Each structure stands twice: as structure tokens, then as C-alpha cells.
Amino acid sequence: MVMKVAVDRDICCGAGQCGAIAPGVFDEDDNDGLVILLTDSPAPEHHAHVREAVDACPAAAISITE
């Protein structure tokens, strides 16, 4: 199964939960604290963590399609 991840930096609030939950997929920009998407097609072993990050994002800035 292929998962595609997208982030909307315009609505990201920089909470950083995504990077803590799925560090291989998300990071935090050192300049503005907003999300950086490291890969838009994470490996299957990351899918559960990406879904958890989507649920934990307070700004709903992360979306996935499968």
C-alpha cells in the first residue's frame, strides 16, 4: 500500500508533535519552528506513526491519502 503525505505550512502552528511521533517523516524547521516533510511517501513501517501524527496535529496541517 502506498501512502502519500502532505503538510500545509501555512496553517502549521509549530507544536512539533509530528516530529516527535514520526521523526523519519517529519522534522522541525530551525528558523521558524514549522513542520518539514522529509518524505511524502513513507515506508510501510512508518504508516502507523504518520496516522498518529495526523491525529495529534493541533492545527490539522497534515493530510494523508492511501
Side-chain angles (χ1 to χ4, degrees), residues 20-58:
I21 294 169
V25 179
F26 306 103
D27 199 358
E28 188 174 307
D29 189 311
D30 290 336
N31 294 321
D32 59 14
L34 301 180
V35 63
I36 297 173
L37 184 60
L38 300 176
T39 178
D40 68 348
S41 297
E45 60 267 20
H46 296 291
H47 289 188
H49 289 125
V50 171
R51 286 186 201 93
E52 185 179 345
V54 169
D55 291 339
C57 181

